[in-house]
């Protein structure tokens, strides 16, 4: 099998697994469905990724890295950053579902280690500390808690019981929610 074939097969597996895990979580995902969707044998899948949990981790790692690269961080404009996170997760709802599944299925400590080991995460924490020194953000906040609160606000229409998950909503409602995110973050951290 050529390198090109291996890369294409691995990408099909990742794409199929991302959808499967987003829909069913780690416990509910089935390797046979992933292999069928990816047009790959289960043996090939196991050869590349070892087991289902390792495949799940590979996807979480890739999506976390993509998220850090795609949403620029500006500690001087936390409300704008929060809206950018809201928009990014709305465009990629599978990532938010994967994060929630990860939390539900005991992956939060691993996710925290992944964040702590990533220099791009450290850049965000250091930027928050600088903004605190400049009195842009209140000094009593732990930088990790600042990011946690932002994610909580951004995720509210996905995790609140009975919510619509920000799916199939009218443009004016979407804009209203974006303003709520902006105003809430401004009030909490810059108010």
């Amino acid at each position: 099998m050529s390198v090109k074939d291996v890369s294409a097969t691995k990408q099909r597996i990742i794409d199929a697994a991302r959808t499967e895990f987003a829909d069913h979580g780690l416990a509910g995902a089935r390797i046979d469905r992933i292999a069928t969707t990816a047009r790959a044998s289960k043996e090939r899948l196991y050869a590349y990724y070892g087991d289902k949990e390792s495949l799940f981790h590979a996807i979480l790692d890739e999506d976390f890295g993509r998220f850090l690269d795609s949403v620029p961080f500006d500690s001087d404009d936390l409300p704008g950053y929060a809206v950018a996170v809201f928009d990014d997760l709305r465009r990629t709802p599978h990532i938010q579902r994967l994060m929630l599944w990860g939390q539900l299925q005991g992956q939060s400590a691993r996710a925290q280690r992944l964040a702590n080991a990533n220099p791009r995460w450290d850049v965000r924490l250091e930027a928050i500390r600088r903004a605190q020194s400049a009195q842009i953000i209140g000094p009593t906040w732990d930088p990790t808690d600042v990011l946690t609160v932002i994610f909580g606000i951004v995720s509210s229409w996905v995790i609140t019981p009975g919510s619509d998950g920000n799916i199939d909503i009218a443009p004016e409602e979407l804009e209203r929610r974006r303003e709520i995110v902006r105003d809430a973050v401004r009030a909490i951290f810059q108010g």
Side-chain angles (χ1 to χ4, degrees):
M1 188 178 286
S2 74
V3 173
K4 184 177 176 183
D5 292 340
V6 169
S7 292
T9 302
K10 282 181 143 181
Q11 189 60 54
R12 286 195 315 272
I13 291 169
I14 288 288
D15 292 344
R18 181 175 282 116
T19 299
E20 179 75 9
F21 288 130
D23 290 348
H24 303 286
L26 176 59
R30 297 292 173 256
I31 290 295
D32 58 336
R33 285 193 299 243
I34 295 169
T36 299
T37 302
R39 299 181 323 275
S41 69
K42 288 196 298 189
E43 293 75 24
R44 181 66 34 217
L45 190 148
Y46 286 123
Y48 292 151
Y49 296 101
D51 60 20
K52 186 168 73 166
E53 188 167 345
S54 295
L55 179 57
F56 186 69
H57 290 166
I59 291 165
L60 289 178
D61 294 357
E62 183 177 297
D63 285 347
F64 184 68
R66 187 219 54 87
F67 168 77
L68 289 177
D69 288 339
S70 68
V71 182
F73 184 73
D74 181 358
S75 60
D76 293 338
D77 184 16
L78 287 181
Y81 170 71
V83 171
V85 171
F86 177 85
D87 290 343
D88 184 70
L89 291 175
R90 186 164 178 327
R91 282 188 301 272
T92 57
H94 67 279
I95 291 176
Q96 202 158 18
R97 287 194 308 271
L98 283 167
M99 287 190 298
L100 291 170
W101 278 118
Q103 294 282 355
L104 290 170
Q105 295 179 309
Q107 302 295 313
S108 49
R110 184 185 175 284
Q112 186 62 54
R113 285 191 305 274
L114 179 68
N116 290 340
N118 191 306
R120 292 171 294 183
W121 191 254
D122 288 339
V123 166
R124 285 165 164 73
L125 298 177
E126 186 52 40
I128 291 169
R129 288 183 193 98
R130 281 194 310 274
Q132 288 174 311
S133 293
Q135 299 181 343
I136 296 168
I137 300 170
T140 59
W141 285 95
D142 179 278
T144 302
D145 292 339
V146 170
L147 296 174
T148 299
V149 170
I150 289 171
F151 281 106
I153 292 167
V154 165
S155 299
S156 59
W157 288 279
V158 175
I159 60 173
T160 302
S163 65
D164 56 27
N166 286 324
I167 305 219
D168 297 327
I169 57 173
E172 35 308 323
E173 177 60 15
L174 176 62
E175 189 54 36
R176 187 184 78 81
R177 290 178 186 186
R178 292 173 87 243
E179 285 305 311
I180 289 171
V181 168
R182 184 184 323 279
D183 292 347
V185 170
R186 183 179 296 118
I188 292 170
F189 297 112
Q190 297 174 338

